[in-house]
Amino acid sequence: MTSLVAVSAYVPTTVSIESLQDELGLSATQLRRFRRMYGLSDVCRSSESEADMLLGAVSKLDFLAGQEERVRYVVRAKTMPAASPYPVNPMLGVREALGLEHAAMFTVTDHACASGLLAVDLCGTLLAADGDPDALALVLTGEKAFTHSAQVIPDVAIMGEATAAVLVGPGDAQDTMLGYATTTLGGPGGEVILDDEQAAEFRRIYPGAVADVAREAVAAAGLTVDDIAMVLPHNVNKISWVRASGALGIPRSRIFLDNVGTTGHSFCADPFLNYHTANGLGLLAPGACYLMISVGLGSTFSAMVFRK
């Protein structure tokens, strides 16, 4: 079994989307659409380096203190393949600062913004193969929106710079993964950088593809959608989840959207940011089943079911 041993979040200062209008090249019409239709108000922005932002998340991971020797893997889940010029690798400094030089370290980017769920599944597989019930893996998510193409998905989302740290373990004491499903559709609408026609196709397939992968993950967990107490989505915008709610057959009230308007879409970190917030608010009762969903440009749709 794979479990989330602990999850922490680092949310930098937020700024209004209006303050980013010139930087992002948004028209007044686009700005109104983001606010009024998509539910965006503020997004996270940080003057810190990506390494410092990741360390900010790990610093709040209280469970890790004194358990560093148990960490066998440090996995960086990213949307953008690289954010630093070769041969600079900020993760080397992060691993050293955390005292985890003994741990194997690698990055996954294959599923774009769904790579965080991929990393959790991969870590669970590696830990199970190792056979050490006390071993842990540390997954680090979230990144800098360092170029214009990384700062905004036209007419879809504005990117935020919050980060999350996730400790993954091989046991089933809490937050146990029950099912995982992922699919990469490719084809029309499957490009990473979309023109207007491709973006329209991606929006068209989005609700059905989200519903299909979510049902697959729920079925793999031996459940039905009626068993899902809460959906923890990626924070692209509210209107896309209203549409997905109808396709999936889960009431809008069970989709946690509180962070959409205050963090922006923080790359792979979103489901874990939402877990951290919802759990802190007491919205995830012991024994409840919840569903994480994330979608990566390139048309990768992923869903993961957990039992609290």
Side-chain angles (χ1 to χ4, degrees):
M1 304 295 288
T2 300
S3 64
L4 305 183
V5 176
V7 178
S8 65
Y10 177 66
V11 181
T13 302
T14 60
V15 299
S16 70
I17 61 173
E18 284 79 9
S19 70
L20 299 173
Q21 182 176 3
D22 292 340
E23 178 184 345
L24 301 180
L26 299 176
S27 68
T29 299
Q30 289 173 317
L31 196 64
R32 284 195 299 270
R33 184 181 299 121
F34 273 124
R35 180 174 283 277
R36 296 178 184 178
M37 292 181 61
Y38 295 168
L40 277 70
S41 175
D42 302 289
V43 295
C44 296
R45 283 289 186 269
S46 175
S47 60
E48 301 167 286
S49 69
E50 188 167 283
D52 286 339
M53 289 163 50
L54 294 172
L55 289 171
V58 180
S59 71
K60 300 182 180 185
L61 203 59
D62 294 337
F63 185 91
L64 182 61
Q67 306 295 321
E68 289 85 357
E69 287 301 317
R70 295 174 59 188
V71 177
R72 188 161 294 182
Y73 303 100
V74 177
V75 182
R76 182 76 173 98
K78 285 177 61 65
T79 296
M80 310 300 291
S84 303
Y86 178 83
V88 176
N89 183 354
M91 282 303 299
L92 294 175
V94 169
R95 182 173 63 171
E96 181 179 1
L98 297 175
L100 299 176
E101 294 95 333
H102 61 281
M105 184 175 68
F106 58 91
T107 296
V108 292
T109 67
D110 307 74
H111 290 181
C113 287
S115 294
L117 299 185
L118 171 65
V120 169
D121 181 63
L122 179 57
C123 286
T125 300
L126 290 171
L127 291 170
D130 290 341
D132 181 354
D134 294 322
L136 299 169
L138 176 63
V139 177
L140 301 176
T141 64
E143 50 205 276
K144 294 290 289 184
F146 68 103
T147 65
H148 182 270
S149 62
Q151 292 170 340
V152 60
I153 303 173
D155 291 327
V156 175
I158 298 175
M159 310 305 286
E161 294 184 338
T163 56
V166 184
L167 270 179
V168 179
D172 60 355
Q174 62 182 36
D175 292 292
T176 305
M177 187 179 81
L178 303 179
Y180 173 52
T182 185
T183 183
T184 299
L185 299 180
E191 294 77 7
V192 175
I193 305 298
L194 307 179
D195 60 27
D196 290 345
E197 183 178 351
Q198 292 160 345
E201 175 64 12
F202 186 72
R203 287 192 295 270
R204 185 190 69 79
I205 68 173
Y206 181 92
V210 165
D212 287 346
V213 77
R215 290 194 189 99
E216 185 179 347
V218 169
L223 304 172
T224 70
V225 292
D226 291 336
D227 298 314
I228 300 301
M230 183 160 290
V231 176
L232 304 176
H234 67 158
N235 299 328
V236 284
N237 60 62
K238 290 185 177 180
I239 196 170
S240 67
W241 287 107
V242 171
R243 296 170 63 208
S245 169
L248 184 53
I250 289 182
R252 155 68 181 82
S253 60
R254 281 194 267 157
I255 302 178
F256 186 80
L257 297 175
D258 291 23
N259 287 333
V260 171
T262 57
T263 63
H265 176 25
S266 297
F267 302 93
C268 297
D270 283 350
F272 309 109
L273 295 174
N274 289 333
Y275 170 88
H276 184 265
T277 303
N279 193 49
L281 292 172
L283 299 179
L284 298 175
C289 294
Y290 59 93
L291 176 66
M292 290 186 177
I293 301 177
S294 198
V295 179
L297 286 178
S299 291
T300 295
F301 295 80
S302 300
M304 191 172 276
V305 180
F306 293 88
R307 181 179 58 240
K308 180 68 180 164

Coordinates of all heavy atoms in Angstrom, one line a residue, residues 235-289:
N235 N -6.1 23.7 -9.6 CA -6.8 25.0 -9.5 C -6.7 25.8 -10.7 O -6.2 27.0 -10.7 CB -6.1 25.8 -8.3 CG -6.3 25.0 -7.0 OD1 -7.2 24.3 -6.7 ND2 -5.3 25.2 -6.1
V236 N -7.2 25.3 -11.8 CA -7.2 26.1 -13.1 C -8.2 27.2 -13.1 O -7.9 28.4 -13.3 CB -7.3 25.2 -14.3 CG1 -6.0 24.5 -14.6 CG2 -8.5 24.3 -14.2
N237 N -9.4 26.9 -12.9 CA -10.5 27.9 -12.8 C -11.8 27.2 -12.3 O -11.9 26.0 -12.3 CB -10.7 28.6 -14.1 CG -11.2 27.7 -15.2 OD1 -12.2 27.1 -15.2 ND2 -10.3 27.6 -16.3
K238 N -12.7 28.0 -11.9 CA -13.9 27.4 -11.3 C -14.9 26.8 -12.4 O -15.5 25.8 -12.2 CB -14.7 28.4 -10.4 CG -13.9 28.7 -9.1 CD -14.7 29.6 -8.2 CE -13.9 29.9 -6.9 NZ -14.6 30.8 -6.0
I239 N -15.0 27.5 -13.5 CA -16.0 27.1 -14.5 C -15.7 25.8 -15.1 O -16.6 25.0 -15.4 CB -16.1 28.2 -15.6 CG1 -17.4 28.0 -16.3 CG2 -14.9 28.2 -16.5 CD1 -17.8 29.1 -17.3
S240 N -14.4 25.4 -15.2 CA -14.1 24.1 -15.7 C -14.6 23.0 -14.8 O -15.0 21.9 -15.2 CB -12.6 24.0 -16.0 OG -11.9 24.0 -14.8
W241 N -14.5 23.3 -13.5 CA -15.0 22.2 -12.5 C -16.5 22.2 -12.4 O -17.0 21.1 -12.0 CB -14.3 22.4 -11.2 CG -12.8 22.1 -11.3 CD1 -11.7 22.9 -11.4 CD2 -12.3 20.7 -11.5 NE1 -10.6 22.2 -11.5 CE2 -10.9 20.8 -11.6 CE3 -12.9 19.5 -11.6 CZ2 -10.1 19.7 -11.8 CZ3 -12.1 18.4 -11.7 CH2 -10.7 18.5 -11.9
V242 N -17.1 23.3 -12.7 CA -18.6 23.2 -12.8 C -19.0 22.2 -13.9 O -19.9 21.4 -13.7 CB -19.2 24.6 -13.0 CG1 -20.7 24.5 -13.3 CG2 -19.0 25.5 -11.8
R243 N -18.3 22.4 -15.0 CA -18.6 21.5 -16.2 C -18.2 20.1 -15.9 O -19.0 19.1 -16.2 CB -17.9 22.0 -17.4 CG -18.3 23.4 -17.9 CD -17.4 23.9 -19.0 NE -17.4 23.0 -20.2 CZ -16.4 22.9 -21.0 NH1 -15.2 23.5 -20.8 NH2 -16.5 22.1 -22.0
A244 N -17.1 19.9 -15.3 CA -16.6 18.5 -14.9 C -17.5 17.9 -13.9 O -17.7 16.7 -13.9 CB -15.2 18.6 -14.4
S245 N -18.0 18.7 -13.0 CA -18.9 18.2 -11.9 C -20.2 17.5 -12.6 O -20.6 16.4 -12.2 CB -19.4 19.3 -11.0 OG -20.4 18.9 -10.2
G246 N -20.7 18.1 -13.6 CA -21.9 17.6 -14.3 C -21.5 16.3 -15.0 O -22.3 15.3 -14.9
A247 N -20.4 16.3 -15.6 CA -20.0 15.0 -16.4 C -19.7 13.9 -15.4 O -20.0 12.7 -15.7 CB -18.8 15.4 -17.2
L248 N -19.1 14.2 -14.3 CA -18.7 13.2 -13.3 C -19.9 12.7 -12.5 O -19.9 11.6 -12.0 CB -17.6 13.7 -12.5 CG -16.9 12.8 -11.5 CD1 -16.4 11.5 -12.1 CD2 -15.7 13.5 -10.8
G249 N -20.9 13.6 -12.3 CA -22.0 13.2 -11.4 C -21.7 13.4 -9.9 O -22.3 12.7 -9.1
I250 N -20.7 14.3 -9.6 CA -20.4 14.6 -8.2 C -20.9 16.0 -8.0 O -20.5 16.9 -8.8 CB -18.9 14.5 -8.0 CG1 -18.5 13.0 -7.9 CG2 -18.6 15.1 -6.6 CD1 -17.1 12.7 -7.6
P251 N -21.7 16.3 -7.0 CA -22.2 17.7 -6.7 C -21.0 18.7 -6.6 O -20.0 18.4 -6.1 CB -22.9 17.5 -5.4 CG -23.3 16.1 -5.3 CD -22.2 15.3 -6.0
R252 N -21.3 19.9 -7.1 CA -20.3 20.9 -7.0 C -19.9 21.2 -5.6 O -18.7 21.5 -5.3 CB -20.9 22.2 -7.6 CG -20.4 23.5 -7.2 CD -19.0 23.8 -7.6 NE -18.5 25.1 -7.1 CZ -18.0 25.3 -5.9 NH1 -17.9 24.3 -5.1 NH2 -17.7 26.5 -5.5
S253 N -20.8 20.9 -4.6 CA -20.4 21.2 -3.2 C -19.4 20.2 -2.7 O -18.8 20.5 -1.6 CB -21.7 21.0 -2.3 OG -22.2 19.7 -2.5
R254 N -19.1 19.1 -3.4 CA -18.1 18.2 -3.0 C -16.7 18.4 -3.7 O -15.8 17.6 -3.6 CB -18.6 16.8 -3.2 CG -19.5 16.3 -2.1 CD -19.7 14.8 -2.1 NE -20.8 14.4 -2.9 CZ -21.0 13.2 -3.4 NH1 -20.0 12.3 -3.3 NH2 -22.0 12.9 -4.1
I255 N -16.7 19.5 -4.5 CA -15.4 19.8 -5.2 C -14.8 21.0 -4.5 O -15.4 22.1 -4.4 CB -15.6 20.1 -6.7 CG1 -16.3 18.9 -7.3 CG2 -14.3 20.4 -7.4 CD1 -16.6 19.1 -8.8
F256 N -13.6 20.8 -3.9 CA -13.0 21.9 -3.1 C -12.3 22.9 -4.0 O -11.3 22.6 -4.6 CB -11.9 21.2 -2.2 CG -11.3 22.2 -1.2 CD1 -12.0 22.6 -0.1 CD2 -10.1 22.8 -1.4 CE1 -11.5 23.5 0.9 CE2 -9.6 23.7 -0.5 CZ -10.3 24.0 0.6
L257 N -12.9 24.1 -4.1 CA -12.4 25.1 -5.0 C -12.0 26.4 -4.2 O -11.8 27.4 -4.8 CB -13.5 25.5 -6.0 CG -14.0 24.4 -6.9 CD1 -15.1 24.8 -7.8 CD2 -12.8 23.9 -7.8
D258 N -11.9 26.3 -2.9 CA -11.6 27.5 -2.1 C -10.2 28.2 -2.5 O -10.1 29.4 -2.4 CB -11.5 27.1 -0.6 CG -12.8 26.8 0.0 OD1 -13.7 26.4 -0.8 OD2 -13.0 26.9 1.2
N259 N -9.3 27.4 -3.0 CA -8.0 28.0 -3.3 C -7.8 28.5 -4.7 O -6.9 29.2 -5.0 CB -6.9 26.9 -3.1 CG -6.6 26.6 -1.6 OD1 -6.8 27.5 -0.8 ND2 -6.1 25.4 -1.3
V260 N -8.8 28.3 -5.6 CA -8.7 28.7 -6.9 C -8.5 30.2 -7.0 O -7.6 30.7 -7.8 CB -9.9 28.3 -7.8 CG1 -9.9 28.9 -9.1 CG2 -10.0 26.8 -7.9
G261 N -9.3 31.0 -6.3 CA -9.2 32.4 -6.4 C -8.1 33.1 -5.6 O -8.0 34.3 -5.7
T262 N -7.4 32.3 -4.8 CA -6.4 32.9 -4.0 C -4.9 32.5 -4.2 O -4.0 33.1 -3.7 CB -6.7 32.7 -2.5 OG1 -6.8 31.2 -2.2 CG2 -8.0 33.3 -2.1
T263 N -4.7 31.4 -4.9 CA -3.4 30.9 -5.2 C -3.0 30.9 -6.7 O -1.8 31.0 -7.0 CB -3.1 29.4 -4.7 OG1 -4.0 28.5 -5.4 CG2 -3.4 29.4 -3.2
G264 N -4.0 30.8 -7.5 CA -3.7 30.5 -8.9 C -3.4 29.1 -9.1 O -3.4 28.3 -8.2
H265 N -3.1 28.7 -10.3 CA -2.8 27.3 -10.7 C -1.3 27.1 -10.4 O -0.4 27.5 -11.2 CB -3.1 27.0 -12.1 CG -2.8 25.7 -12.6 ND1 -2.7 24.6 -11.8 CD2 -2.5 25.2 -13.9 CE1 -2.3 23.5 -12.6 NE2 -2.3 23.9 -13.8
S266 N -1.0 26.4 -9.3 CA 0.4 26.2 -8.9 C 1.0 24.9 -9.4 O 1.5 24.1 -8.6 CB 0.5 26.3 -7.3 OG 0.1 27.6 -6.9
F267 N 0.9 24.7 -10.7 CA 1.6 23.6 -11.3 C 1.2 22.3 -10.7 O 0.0 22.0 -10.5 CB 3.1 23.8 -11.4 CG 3.5 25.1 -12.1 CD1 3.7 26.2 -11.3 CD2 3.7 25.1 -13.4 CE1 4.1 27.4 -12.0 CE2 4.0 26.3 -14.1 CZ 4.2 27.4 -13.4
C268 N 2.2 21.4 -10.3 CA 1.9 20.1 -9.8 C 1.4 20.1 -8.3 O 1.0 19.1 -7.8 CB 3.1 19.2 -9.8 SG 3.7 18.8 -11.5
A269 N 1.5 21.3 -7.7 CA 1.3 21.4 -6.2 C -0.2 21.4 -5.9 O -0.6 21.1 -4.7 CB 1.9 22.6 -5.6
D270 N -1.1 21.7 -6.8 CA -2.5 22.0 -6.5 C -3.2 21.0 -5.7 O -3.8 21.3 -4.7 CB -3.3 22.3 -7.8 CG -3.0 23.6 -8.4 OD1 -2.4 24.5 -7.8 OD2 -3.5 23.9 -9.6
P271 N -3.3 19.7 -6.1 CA -4.0 18.8 -5.3 C -3.5 18.7 -3.8 O -4.3 18.5 -2.9 CB -3.8 17.4 -6.0 CG -3.4 17.8 -7.4 CD -2.7 19.1 -7.2
F272 N -2.2 18.8 -3.6 CA -1.7 18.7 -2.3 C -1.9 20.0 -1.5 O -2.1 20.0 -0.3 CB -0.2 18.4 -2.4 CG 0.1 17.2 -3.3 CD1 0.7 17.4 -4.5 CD2 -0.3 16.0 -2.9 CE1 0.9 16.3 -5.3 CE2 -0.1 14.9 -3.7 CZ 0.5 15.0 -4.9
L273 N -1.9 21.2 -2.2 CA -2.3 22.4 -1.5 C -3.8 22.3 -1.0 O -4.1 22.7 0.1 CB -2.2 23.6 -2.5 CG -0.8 24.0 -2.9 CD1 -0.8 25.1 -4.0 CD2 0.1 24.4 -1.8
N274 N -4.6 21.8 -1.9 CA -6.0 21.6 -1.5 C -6.2 20.6 -0.4 O -7.0 20.8 0.5 CB -6.8 21.2 -2.8 CG -6.9 22.4 -3.8 OD1 -6.9 23.5 -3.4 ND2 -7.1 22.1 -5.0
Y275 N -5.4 19.5 -0.4 CA -5.5 18.6 0.7 C -5.1 19.3 2.0 O -5.8 19.1 3.0 CB -4.5 17.4 0.5 CG -4.3 16.5 1.7 CD1 -5.2 15.5 1.9 CD2 -3.3 16.8 2.6 CE1 -5.1 14.7 3.1 CE2 -3.2 16.1 3.8 CZ -4.1 15.0 4.0 OH -4.0 14.3 5.1
H276 N -4.0 20.0 1.9 CA -3.5 20.7 3.2 C -4.6 21.7 3.7 O -4.8 21.7 4.9 CB -2.2 21.5 2.8 CG -1.6 22.1 4.0 ND1 -1.8 23.4 4.3 CD2 -0.7 21.6 5.0 CE1 -1.1 23.7 5.4 NE2 -0.5 22.7 5.8
T277 N -5.2 22.4 2.8 CA -6.2 23.4 3.3 C -7.5 22.7 3.8 O -8.0 23.0 4.9 CB -6.6 24.3 2.1 OG1 -5.4 25.0 1.7 CG2 -7.6 25.4 2.6
A278 N -8.0 21.7 3.0 CA -9.2 21.0 3.4 C -9.0 20.2 4.7 O -9.9 20.2 5.5 CB -9.6 20.1 2.2
N279 N -7.9 19.6 4.8 CA -7.6 18.8 6.0 C -7.5 19.8 7.2 O -8.0 19.4 8.3 CB -6.3 18.0 5.8 CG -6.1 17.0 6.9 OD1 -7.0 16.2 7.2 ND2 -4.9 17.0 7.5
G280 N -6.8 20.9 7.0 CA -6.7 21.9 8.1 C -8.1 22.4 8.5 O -8.3 22.8 9.7
L281 N -9.0 22.5 7.6 CA -10.4 23.0 7.9 C -11.3 21.9 8.5 O -12.4 22.1 8.8 CB -11.0 23.5 6.7 CG -10.4 24.8 6.1 CD1 -11.0 25.1 4.7 CD2 -10.6 26.0 7.1
G282 N -10.7 20.6 8.6 CA -11.5 19.5 9.2 C -12.5 19.0 8.2 O -13.5 18.4 8.6
L283 N -12.3 19.2 6.9 CA -13.3 18.7 5.9 C -13.1 17.3 5.5 O -13.9 16.7 4.7 CB -13.2 19.6 4.7 CG -13.5 21.1 4.9 CD1 -13.4 21.9 3.6 CD2 -14.9 21.3 5.5
L284 N -12.0 16.7 5.9 CA -11.7 15.3 5.5 C -11.8 14.4 6.8 O -10.8 14.4 7.6 CB -10.3 15.1 4.9 CG -10.1 15.9 3.6 CD1 -8.6 15.8 3.1 CD2 -11.0 15.4 2.5
A285 N -12.9 13.8 7.0 CA -13.1 13.0 8.2 C -12.4 11.7 8.1 O -12.2 11.1 7.0 CB -14.6 12.7 8.3
P286 N -12.0 11.1 9.3 CA -11.3 9.8 9.3 C -12.2 8.8 8.6 O -13.4 8.7 8.8 CB -11.1 9.5 10.8 CG -11.1 10.9 11.4 CD -12.0 11.7 10.6
G287 N -11.6 8.0 7.7 CA -12.3 7.0 7.0 C -12.9 7.4 5.7 O -13.4 6.6 4.9
A288 N -13.0 8.7 5.5 CA -13.6 9.3 4.3 C -12.7 9.0 3.1 O -11.5 9.0 3.2 CB -13.9 10.8 4.4
C289 N -13.3 8.8 1.9 CA -12.6 8.6 0.7 C -12.6 9.9 -0.1 O -13.7 10.6 -0.3 CB -13.2 7.5 -0.2 SG -13.0 5.9 0.6

